[in-house]
Amino acid sequence: MNGRELLTATRSYRRRLDLNRPVARQDLLDCLEIAAYAPSGTNRQPWRFVVVTDPELKRQIGAYYRKGFAANLDGRAIPSELRPDINSGQYLADHMHEVPALVLVCSVGRPPEELSARRLASFYGSVYPAVWNFMLALRERGLGSTLTTAHLFYEREIGELLGIPCDEVTQVALLPVAHLLPGAENPVRRRTPVTELIGWDGWQRPDEDVR
Ligand SMILES: Cc1cc2nc3c(=O)[nH]c(=O)nc-3n(C[C@H](O)[C@H](O)[C@H](O)COP(=O)(O)O)c2cc1C
């Protein structure tokens, strides 16, 4: 895959995750090494990773994830065009514990209590580039994942389970990692052309509906 293909074809993988084929530790190490080359504010490199392959730990994390996914949907009206996405999300929630490796991405520190855009951007913006680096590196090797956050309803419980000091460290994403089953590559759906999203020398289309 060339760089453009990798960047425009990488997406969330749920039903195509191979639940039966183990993921080699070396592949995880290689991809995490690439993750650790991401940029961060003042080069703090706050990311830390917890890799979970133990079946009992995965079972417990999967149960928290499933409850978190349900809580996320609770009481929300789902427009029909989002139904396939929700069904795919439900599939992952039902099978999270069967995915060969669960990578929990953490950030040293807690989100700033002063919820200014600047400080939040620095906190979360210093770890998500590493998440995306990791996902791209996986894809390049025929592995796949989905960036998930529904487990964060139970951040404390999962922290206790894995010995993560939740007063000092924040969990930001849970990445189920597996080889990809053969199958059609569903195209990445994004709003294009990008010219509609750009203002040259100033904001454009301020009346636009942003979901
Ligand atoms: C911050 C963030 C949180 C997300 N949380 C979840 C999640 O908890 N569960 C899930 O199945 N997908 C989650 N996703 C994946 C999105 O649903 C997905 O990226 C989006 O629908 C676009 O689909 P695609 O990646 O296949 O193109 C999350 C994505 C982001 C960026």
Side-chain angles (χ1 to χ4, degrees), residues 11-91:
R11 52 166 309 186
S12 304
Y13 298 97
R14 301 185 182 90
R15 293 183 200 274
R16 278 192 64 206
L17 299 176
D18 188 337
L19 305 178
N20 297 309
R21 181 173 167 195
V23 173
R25 180 178 283 237
Q26 191 58 52
D27 279 335
L28 290 166
L29 276 173
D30 289 347
C31 295
L32 288 171
E33 175 137 337
I34 290 168
Y37 274 85
S40 58
T42 57
N43 204 17
R44 284 187 298 115
Q45 305 170 53
W47 43 75
R48 300 291 182 272
F49 308 101
V50 180
V51 182
V52 181
T53 56
D54 175 79
E56 177 52 23
L57 291 174
K58 287 196 299 176
R59 189 190 65 74
Q60 294 193 49
I61 294 169
Y64 285 128
Y65 181 82
R66 203 159 42 251
K67 279 203 285 179
F69 187 80
N72 220 359
L73 293 181
D74 195 30
R76 266 172 57 185
I78 310 291
S80 58
E81 70 271 18
L82 287 185
R83 263 282 144 219
D85 293 318
I86 299 298
N87 291 345
S88 157
Q90 186 64 56
Y91 172 87

Side-chain angles (χ1 to χ4, degrees), residues 10-14 65 69 72 85 88-89 92 128 146-151 188-190:
T10 301
R11 52 166 309 186
S12 304
Y13 298 97
R14 301 185 182 90
Y65 181 82
F69 187 80
N72 220 359
D85 293 318
S88 157
L92 180 61
Y128 275 110
T146 288
L147 194 169
T148 78
T149 46
H151 67 296
V188 172
R189 292 164 298 153
R190 296 293 183 260

Side-chain angles (χ1 to χ4, degrees), residues 34-180:
I34 290 168
Y37 274 85
S40 58
T42 57
N43 204 17
R44 284 187 298 115
Q45 305 170 53
W47 43 75
R48 300 291 182 272
F49 308 101
V50 180
V51 182
V52 181
T53 56
D54 175 79
E56 177 52 23
L57 291 174
K58 287 196 299 176
R59 189 190 65 74
Q60 294 193 49
I61 294 169
Y64 285 128
Y65 181 82
R66 203 159 42 251
K67 279 203 285 179
F69 187 80
N72 220 359
L73 293 181
D74 195 30
R76 266 172 57 185
I78 310 291
S80 58
E81 70 271 18
L82 287 185
R83 263 282 144 219
D85 293 318
I86 299 298
N87 291 345
S88 157
Q90 186 64 56
Y91 172 87
L92 180 61
D94 291 340
H95 294 276
M96 185 64 93
H97 61 291
E98 296 169 63
V99 180
L102 302 182
V103 175
L104 209 62
V105 184
C106 303
S107 182
V108 173
R110 293 298 303 175
E113 280 172 19
E114 174 222 329
L115 294 181
S116 70
R118 178 184 62 81
R119 297 200 54 202
L120 280 173
S122 175
F123 185 81
Y124 284 104
S126 286
V127 71
Y128 275 110
V131 171
W132 188 231
N133 261 20
F134 181 60
M135 292 176 72
L136 292 169
L138 291 171
R139 185 67 193 84
E140 197 193 14
R141 286 161 178 73
L143 295 148
S145 188
T146 288
L147 194 169
T148 78
T149 46
H151 67 296
L152 294 176
F153 279 94
Y154 297 97
E155 184 192 5
R156 295 261 152 196
E157 290 81 350
I158 292 174
E160 260 172 44
L161 184 66
L162 300 173
I164 299 169
C166 287
D167 293 332
E168 297 150 37
V169 171
T170 305
Q171 296 164 46
V172 299
L174 173 64
L175 299 164
V177 177
H179 286 276
L180 290 179

